[in-house]
Amino acid sequence: MVDDDAPVLTVSKAAELAGMHPQTLRQYDRLGLVVPRRTRGRGRRYSRRDVARLLQVQRLAQVEGINLAGIKRILDLEAHVSVLEERLGDLLMRVQEEGRVFAAGPDAGDVVVVQRGQRVRSTAMRVDLERRAVGGGAVVLWRPSHRRDS
């Protein structure tokens, strides 16, 4: 069984599987629509996932009537959505593990930390992200003081 991401197909075989001319695949590569991996000799090698993407490009162009620039934008946005969905999944797991939720506060959309099941209040703890040279980050919390000078 071959992995769907394994770059094992030549230009001619990928073109045959996608029902396209090999020159079309080369053009799509130049435009950044479907970019195959390269061998040491700079030859193109396509994966089964690349062939599926070629078929998607073909459907968008021929059935939906979208031009290549529009298709590139659609594919880029789909990739971006996938990254965001992955990050959201990671954040949801973190919330479940730690039991904290970050929300927009009442004052100009400040980020605040609230415990699960609680609402954001004007006296909620504010959050600031402090970058560290090591590449990590630390969350710094503080509660606004309401001192009156007498």
PDB file of all heavy atoms in Angstrom, residues 110-113 122-130 138-145:
ATOM      1  N   ASP A 110     -10.067  43.856  24.861  1.00  0.00           N
ATOM      2  CA  ASP A 110      -8.905  43.263  25.514  1.00  0.00           C
ATOM      3  C   ASP A 110      -9.132  41.770  25.698  1.00  0.00           C
ATOM      4  O   ASP A 110     -10.254  41.316  25.901  1.00  0.00           O
ATOM      5  CB  ASP A 110      -8.674  43.897  26.889  1.00  0.00           C
ATOM      6  CG  ASP A 110      -8.242  45.342  26.793  1.00  0.00           C
ATOM      7  OD1 ASP A 110      -7.712  45.728  25.732  1.00  0.00           O
ATOM      8  OD2 ASP A 110      -8.424  46.076  27.774  1.00  0.00           O
ATOM      9  N   VAL A 111      -8.050  40.987  25.657  1.00  0.00           N
ATOM     10  CA  VAL A 111      -8.154  39.552  25.879  1.00  0.00           C
ATOM     11  C   VAL A 111      -8.144  39.297  27.377  1.00  0.00           C
ATOM     12  O   VAL A 111      -7.301  39.822  28.096  1.00  0.00           O
ATOM     13  CB  VAL A 111      -6.983  38.805  25.205  1.00  0.00           C
ATOM     14  CG1 VAL A 111      -7.049  37.321  25.520  1.00  0.00           C
ATOM     15  CG2 VAL A 111      -7.010  39.038  23.711  1.00  0.00           C
ATOM     16  N   VAL A 112      -9.104  38.533  27.841  1.00  0.00           N
ATOM     17  CA  VAL A 112      -9.203  38.222  29.266  1.00  0.00           C
ATOM     18  C   VAL A 112      -9.304  36.719  29.454  1.00  0.00           C
ATOM     19  O   VAL A 112      -9.728  35.995  28.556  1.00  0.00           O
ATOM     20  CB  VAL A 112     -10.416  38.918  29.930  1.00  0.00           C
ATOM     21  CG1 VAL A 112     -10.268  40.416  29.895  1.00  0.00           C
ATOM     22  CG2 VAL A 112     -11.703  38.488  29.274  1.00  0.00           C
ATOM     23  N   VAL A 113      -8.889  36.244  30.634  1.00  0.00           N
ATOM     24  CA  VAL A 113      -8.993  34.836  30.981  1.00  0.00           C
ATOM     25  C   VAL A 113     -10.174  34.683  31.920  1.00  0.00           C
ATOM     26  O   VAL A 113     -10.303  35.428  32.891  1.00  0.00           O
ATOM     27  CB  VAL A 113      -7.714  34.351  31.691  1.00  0.00           C
ATOM     28  CG1 VAL A 113      -7.888  32.910  32.166  1.00  0.00           C
ATOM     29  CG2 VAL A 113      -6.523  34.462  30.772  1.00  0.00           C
ATOM     30  N   SER A 122     -16.087  43.439  33.911  1.00  0.00           N
ATOM     31  CA  SER A 122     -15.152  44.558  33.744  1.00  0.00           C
ATOM     32  C   SER A 122     -13.947  44.435  34.663  1.00  0.00           C
ATOM     33  O   SER A 122     -12.898  44.999  34.395  1.00  0.00           O
ATOM     34  CB  SER A 122     -15.851  45.893  33.987  1.00  0.00           C
ATOM     35  OG  SER A 122     -16.355  45.931  35.302  1.00  0.00           O
ATOM     36  N   THR A 123     -14.072  43.672  35.751  1.00  0.00           N
ATOM     37  CA  THR A 123     -12.939  43.507  36.657  1.00  0.00           C
ATOM     38  C   THR A 123     -12.205  42.191  36.399  1.00  0.00           C
ATOM     39  O   THR A 123     -11.408  41.763  37.208  1.00  0.00           O
ATOM     40  CB  THR A 123     -13.410  43.537  38.126  1.00  0.00           C
ATOM     41  OG1 THR A 123     -14.349  42.480  38.307  1.00  0.00           O
ATOM     42  CG2 THR A 123     -14.012  44.879  38.479  1.00  0.00           C
ATOM     43  N   ALA A 124     -12.495  41.559  35.272  1.00  0.00           N
ATOM     44  CA  ALA A 124     -11.835  40.291  34.964  1.00  0.00           C
ATOM     45  C   ALA A 124     -10.341  40.506  34.800  1.00  0.00           C
ATOM     46  O   ALA A 124      -9.861  41.607  34.551  1.00  0.00           O
ATOM     47  CB  ALA A 124     -12.425  39.695  33.681  1.00  0.00           C
ATOM     48  N   MET A 125      -9.611  39.446  34.939  1.00  0.00           N
ATOM     49  CA  MET A 125      -8.161  39.536  34.821  1.00  0.00           C
ATOM     50  C   MET A 125      -7.771  39.786  33.367  1.00  0.00           C
ATOM     51  O   MET A 125      -8.277  39.135  32.471  1.00  0.00           O
ATOM     52  CB  MET A 125      -7.526  38.247  35.326  1.00  0.00           C
ATOM     53  CG  MET A 125      -7.835  37.966  36.772  1.00  0.00           C
ATOM     54  SD  MET A 125      -7.271  36.352  37.235  1.00  0.00           S
ATOM     55  CE  MET A 125      -5.752  36.763  38.007  1.00  0.00           C
ATOM     56  N   ARG A 126      -6.862  40.706  33.152  1.00  0.00           N
ATOM     57  CA  ARG A 126      -6.388  41.007  31.805  1.00  0.00           C
ATOM     58  C   ARG A 126      -5.189  40.132  31.491  1.00  0.00           C
ATOM     59  O   ARG A 126      -4.467  39.704  32.376  1.00  0.00           O
ATOM     60  CB  ARG A 126      -6.004  42.472  31.710  1.00  0.00           C
ATOM     61  CG  ARG A 126      -7.220  43.367  31.855  1.00  0.00           C
ATOM     62  CD  ARG A 126      -6.862  44.800  31.776  1.00  0.00           C
ATOM     63  NE  ARG A 126      -6.173  45.062  30.536  1.00  0.00           N
ATOM     64  CZ  ARG A 126      -5.957  46.263  30.051  1.00  0.00           C
ATOM     65  NH1 ARG A 126      -6.381  47.315  30.683  1.00  0.00           N
ATOM     66  NH2 ARG A 126      -5.309  46.441  28.928  1.00  0.00           N
ATOM     67  N   VAL A 127      -4.979  39.900  30.210  1.00  0.00           N
ATOM     68  CA  VAL A 127      -3.900  39.023  29.783  1.00  0.00           C
ATOM     69  C   VAL A 127      -2.999  39.748  28.808  1.00  0.00           C
ATOM     70  O   VAL A 127      -3.461  40.484  27.958  1.00  0.00           O
ATOM     71  CB  VAL A 127      -4.471  37.765  29.068  1.00  0.00           C
ATOM     72  CG1 VAL A 127      -3.372  36.861  28.590  1.00  0.00           C
ATOM     73  CG2 VAL A 127      -5.416  37.037  29.975  1.00  0.00           C
ATOM     74  N   ASP A 128      -1.719  39.525  28.952  1.00  0.00           N
ATOM     75  CA  ASP A 128      -0.749  40.070  28.017  1.00  0.00           C
ATOM     76  C   ASP A 128       0.218  38.948  27.682  1.00  0.00           C
ATOM     77  O   ASP A 128       0.571  38.154  28.550  1.00  0.00           O
ATOM     78  CB  ASP A 128       0.005  41.243  28.662  1.00  0.00           C
ATOM     79  CG  ASP A 128       0.671  42.144  27.642  1.00  0.00           C
ATOM     80  OD1 ASP A 128       0.429  41.946  26.442  1.00  0.00           O
ATOM     81  OD2 ASP A 128       1.418  43.024  28.058  1.00  0.00           O
ATOM     82  N   LEU A 129       0.650  38.861  26.456  1.00  0.00           N
ATOM     83  CA  LEU A 129       1.574  37.816  26.045  1.00  0.00           C
ATOM     84  C   LEU A 129       2.974  38.388  26.004  1.00  0.00           C
ATOM     85  O   LEU A 129       3.237  39.356  25.311  1.00  0.00           O
ATOM     86  CB  LEU A 129       1.178  37.259  24.671  1.00  0.00           C
ATOM     87  CG  LEU A 129       1.949  36.051  24.194  1.00  0.00           C
ATOM     88  CD1 LEU A 129       1.739  34.883  25.152  1.00  0.00           C
ATOM     89  CD2 LEU A 129       1.500  35.643  22.812  1.00  0.00           C
ATOM     90  N   GLU A 130       3.846  37.802  26.786  1.00  0.00           N
ATOM     91  CA  GLU A 130       5.226  38.270  26.863  1.00  0.00           C
ATOM     92  C   GLU A 130       6.110  37.268  26.135  1.00  0.00           C
ATOM     93  O   GLU A 130       6.180  36.106  26.498  1.00  0.00           O
ATOM     94  CB  GLU A 130       5.619  38.365  28.342  1.00  0.00           C
ATOM     95  CG  GLU A 130       7.027  38.805  28.573  1.00  0.00           C
ATOM     96  CD  GLU A 130       7.302  38.796  30.073  1.00  0.00           C
ATOM     97  OE1 GLU A 130       6.702  39.623  30.780  1.00  0.00           O
ATOM     98  OE2 GLU A 130       8.090  37.947  30.497  1.00  0.00           O
ATOM     99  N   ALA A 138       4.972  33.382  27.685  1.00  0.00           N
ATOM    100  CA  ALA A 138       4.411  33.292  29.027  1.00  0.00           C
ATOM    101  C   ALA A 138       3.193  34.187  29.080  1.00  0.00           C
ATOM    102  O   ALA A 138       3.181  35.260  28.500  1.00  0.00           O
ATOM    103  CB  ALA A 138       5.440  33.739  30.060  1.00  0.00           C
ATOM    104  N   VAL A 139       2.196  33.747  29.774  1.00  0.00           N
ATOM    105  CA  VAL A 139       1.001  34.555  29.930  1.00  0.00           C
ATOM    106  C   VAL A 139       1.132  35.296  31.257  1.00  0.00           C
ATOM    107  O   VAL A 139       1.365  34.701  32.295  1.00  0.00           O
ATOM    108  CB  VAL A 139      -0.267  33.682  29.930  1.00  0.00           C
ATOM    109  CG1 VAL A 139      -1.499  34.524  30.195  1.00  0.00           C
ATOM    110  CG2 VAL A 139      -0.385  32.947  28.609  1.00  0.00           C
ATOM    111  N   VAL A 140       1.031  36.609  31.194  1.00  0.00           N
ATOM    112  CA  VAL A 140       1.144  37.450  32.374  1.00  0.00           C
ATOM    113  C   VAL A 140      -0.245  37.962  32.713  1.00  0.00           C
ATOM    114  O   VAL A 140      -0.916  38.541  31.870  1.00  0.00           O
ATOM    115  CB  VAL A 140       2.103  38.642  32.116  1.00  0.00           C
ATOM    116  CG1 VAL A 140       2.203  39.514  33.348  1.00  0.00           C
ATOM    117  CG2 VAL A 140       3.457  38.128  31.669  1.00  0.00           C
ATOM    118  N   LEU A 141      -0.687  37.747  33.936  1.00  0.00           N
ATOM    119  CA  LEU A 141      -2.018  38.154  34.365  1.00  0.00           C
ATOM    120  C   LEU A 141      -1.909  39.258  35.399  1.00  0.00           C
ATOM    121  O   LEU A 141      -1.023  39.246  36.234  1.00  0.00           O
ATOM    122  CB  LEU A 141      -2.769  36.975  34.999  1.00  0.00           C
ATOM    123  CG  LEU A 141      -2.913  35.727  34.152  1.00  0.00           C
ATOM    124  CD1 LEU A 141      -3.491  34.611  34.997  1.00  0.00           C
ATOM    125  CD2 LEU A 141      -3.797  35.993  32.963  1.00  0.00           C
ATOM    126  N   TRP A 142      -2.827  40.176  35.381  1.00  0.00           N
ATOM    127  CA  TRP A 142      -2.913  41.171  36.443  1.00  0.00           C
ATOM    128  C   TRP A 142      -4.349  41.633  36.565  1.00  0.00           C
ATOM    129  O   TRP A 142      -5.108  41.589  35.623  1.00  0.00           O
ATOM    130  CB  TRP A 142      -1.946  42.335  36.233  1.00  0.00           C
ATOM    131  CG  TRP A 142      -2.365  43.321  35.197  1.00  0.00           C
ATOM    132  CD1 TRP A 142      -3.078  44.454  35.377  1.00  0.00           C
ATOM    133  CD2 TRP A 142      -2.097  43.258  33.795  1.00  0.00           C
ATOM    134  NE1 TRP A 142      -3.275  45.106  34.188  1.00  0.00           N
ATOM    135  CE2 TRP A 142      -2.665  44.388  33.194  1.00  0.00           C
ATOM    136  CE3 TRP A 142      -1.424  42.356  32.975  1.00  0.00           C
ATOM    137  CZ2 TRP A 142      -2.598  44.648  31.842  1.00  0.00           C
ATOM    138  CZ3 TRP A 142      -1.344  42.608  31.630  1.00  0.00           C
ATOM    139  CH2 TRP A 142      -1.928  43.742  31.078  1.00  0.00           C
ATOM    140  N   ARG A 143      -4.710  42.041  37.757  1.00  0.00           N
ATOM    141  CA  ARG A 143      -6.054  42.542  38.009  1.00  0.00           C
ATOM    142  C   ARG A 143      -5.934  44.055  38.144  1.00  0.00           C
ATOM    143  O   ARG A 143      -5.112  44.538  38.905  1.00  0.00           O
ATOM    144  CB  ARG A 143      -6.612  41.932  39.282  1.00  0.00           C
ATOM    145  CG  ARG A 143      -8.060  42.315  39.535  1.00  0.00           C
ATOM    146  CD  ARG A 143      -8.619  41.610  40.763  1.00  0.00           C
ATOM    147  NE  ARG A 143      -8.622  40.161  40.626  1.00  0.00           N
ATOM    148  CZ  ARG A 143      -9.579  39.458  40.027  1.00  0.00           C
ATOM    149  NH1 ARG A 143     -10.594  40.078  39.491  1.00  0.00           N
ATOM    150  NH2 ARG A 143      -9.518  38.155  39.960  1.00  0.00           N
ATOM    151  N   PRO A 144      -6.747  44.805  37.409  1.00  0.00           N
ATOM    152  CA  PRO A 144      -6.667  46.259  37.510  1.00  0.00           C
ATOM    153  C   PRO A 144      -6.978  46.711  38.934  1.00  0.00           C
ATOM    154  O   PRO A 144      -7.873  46.184  39.575  1.00  0.00           O
ATOM    155  CB  PRO A 144      -7.728  46.773  36.545  1.00  0.00           C
ATOM    156  CG  PRO A 144      -8.245  45.575  35.820  1.00  0.00           C
ATOM    157  CD  PRO A 144      -7.761  44.350  36.499  1.00  0.00           C
ATOM    158  N   SER A 145      -6.190  47.648  39.448  1.00  0.00           N
ATOM    159  CA  SER A 145      -6.452  48.157  40.794  1.00  0.00           C
ATOM    160  C   SER A 145      -7.340  49.388  40.693  1.00  0.00           C
ATOM    161  O   SER A 145      -7.262  50.163  39.753  1.00  0.00           O
ATOM    162  CB  SER A 145      -5.142  48.500  41.492  1.00  0.00           C
ATOM    163  OG  SER A 145      -4.470  49.513  40.771  1.00  0.00           O
TER     164      SER A 145
END
